[in-house]
Amino acid sequence: MKTAVGSAKNNVLALMFADFKEITKARLAISVVFSSIAGYFLGAYEIQWVQLLLLAFGGYCMVGASNAYNQVIEKDLDVLMKRTRNRPVPAGRMSANTALAIAVVLTLLGVVTLYLLNPKTAMFGAISIFLYTSVYTPLKTITPLAVFVGAIPGAIPFMLGWVAATNEFGIEPGTLFMIQFFWQFPHFWALGWMLDEDYKSGGFKMLPTGKKDAATVLQIIMYTIWMMVISVIPVFGITGRLHLSIAAAVLVFVMGAVMLGFAFKLYRQRDNASARKLMLASVSYITLMQIVYVIDKFSA
């Protein structure tokens, strides 16, 4: 009997933990924390592990809070889409009030934790939550320009790590911000292409032209080229302490060219399979690019 009760409790806890991961979008949050940590390594004169832990915890809380707010706001729309209808709130496993309470607690924990690093880091974290929930989320059903607004909070994590390490905002974190800002467009438009029908079921306007057409892919190509250019600017020595060796710049540029190749493939074929390959290539690019930047700094 005790074994059965214990097993039931374990199952309940496992389901609650699974829903917490879903409401905070754990995989996305971890990837965002990875970007912040990369930015921290690039900015830090000396690695302080307590700071790094505070950044990771605070960063997860901020991203998790944004995602939880988003799922509360969009609960009625999430029911209409295949990819979101099984989320905790629309599926009925979690009440909207519970999700909102989680979001508020995570916001407070995140702001306080990042403030312990420095006020600027907490400020940028708070701006990220505000833009994501109060501007980007409601705009998604109104205009494709929502992606432009959403690219701002989406680009903050890489630069946030630098600010956390230095308590300074200048050309270096600004450059990191611009790299991830321009990366957002091919990434999310590739995702939007794949899920266009589902997004339209929920009333979301994600593609720049509203259609899976040549004009949309041309914008993907344009923003990918801008991303490639900005990613190698540090090699020219004009971005303060943010440096990149010639070898690292060539590697980063080649990785960008691979991603650009997938964008051109999407232009030629204009199918979901090509969009998926571009989306996966974009995820690989942002991760590998950050790793190259960090390795290049410590191997110089």
Side-chain angles (χ1 to χ4, degrees):
M1 183 67 177
K2 289 183 178 180
T3 303
V5 171
S7 178
K9 287 182 178 179
N10 288 337
N11 287 336
V12 170
L13 290 174
L15 290 172
M16 290 174 62
F17 182 64
D19 281 344
F20 177 79
K21 290 194 299 180
E22 182 71 21
I23 202 75
T24 59
K25 292 187 181 178
R27 290 176 61 184
L28 172 62
I30 290 171
S31 70
V32 170
V33 168
F34 180 87
S35 291
S36 297
I37 290 173
Y40 178 89
F41 277 122
L42 292 173
Y45 293 98
E46 179 183 353
I47 305 301
Q48 298 186 31
W49 297 105
V50 173
Q51 285 188 341
L52 205 55
L53 289 173
L54 289 173
L55 176 63
F57 179 76
Y60 188 98
C61 287
M62 300 300 263
V63 179
S66 296
N67 291 324
Y69 284 125
N70 174 266
Q71 291 180 52
V72 171
I73 296 168
E74 294 182 348
K75 64 183 187 302
D76 295 329
L77 300 178
D78 282 347
V79 175
L80 305 175
M81 297 185 292
K82 293 178 182 178
R83 62 183 290 268
T84 56
R85 63 181 51 156
N86 196 43
R87 286 175 174 174
V89 177
R93 297 192 306 274
M94 181 184 295
S95 70
N97 287 338
T98 298
L100 182 60
I102 291 172
V104 171
V105 170
L106 289 175
T107 300
L108 294 174
L109 286 174
V111 170
V112 170
T113 302
L114 295 182
Y115 189 85
L116 292 176
L117 288 167
N118 57 66
K120 288 189 180 70
T121 304
M123 178 190 71
F124 282 121
I127 289 172
S128 177
I129 288 182
F130 173 78
L131 288 176
Y132 189 87
T133 60
S134 301
V135 186
Y136 166 68
T137 295
L139 279 180
K140 287 162 65 179
T141 58
I142 299 172
T143 172
L145 288 174
V147 174
F148 181 88
V149 176
I152 298 173
I156 285 177
F158 199 15
M159 77 160 201
L160 191 72
W162 185 290
V163 176
T166 65
N167 195 24
E168 297 174 357
F169 181 82
I171 185 66
E172 302 93 343
T175 302
L176 300 180
F177 174 88
M178 292 306 293
I179 293 171
Q180 199 151 358
F181 177 79
F182 282 102
W183 169 83
Q184 302 275 321
F185 296 94
H187 173 72
F188 281 108
W189 283 335
L191 185 64
W193 185 292
M194 291 166 49
L195 302 172
D196 184 54
E197 291 78 13
D198 210 23
Y199 275 129
K200 285 179 178 176
S201 297
F204 294 118
K205 305 177 186 298
M206 302 304 291
L207 296 178
T209 67
K211 301 176 182 178
K212 297 162 72 170
D213 58 10
T216 285
V217 189
L218 285 174
Q219 291 197 51
I220 289 174
I221 291 170
M222 179 185 70
Y223 279 99
T224 302
I225 291 172
W226 274 112
M227 177 202 74
M228 292 170 61
V229 171
I230 296 170
S231 293
V232 299
I233 280 180
V235 77
F236 299 105
I238 58 175
T239 52
R241 286 202 301 118
L242 182 63
H243 301 293
L244 200 61
S245 69
I246 293 175
V250 169
L251 182 56
V252 168
F253 189 82
V254 168
M255 291 190 302
V258 171
M259 183 172 157
L260 183 63
F262 282 108
F264 276 111
K265 184 175 181 180
L266 178 59
Y267 182 82
R268 293 192 303 271
Q269 300 188 0
R270 298 179 204 172
D271 59 5
N272 287 349
S274 298
R276 177 176 173 76
K277 289 177 182 177
L278 173 59
M279 188 273 293
L280 293 174
S282 70
V283 173
S284 298
Y285 174 83
I286 199 68
T287 304
L288 293 174
M289 178 274 297
Q290 290 167 348
I291 291 172
V292 169
Y293 262 69
V294 172
I295 291 175
D296 189 58
K297 173 188 175 179
F298 288 98
S299 62

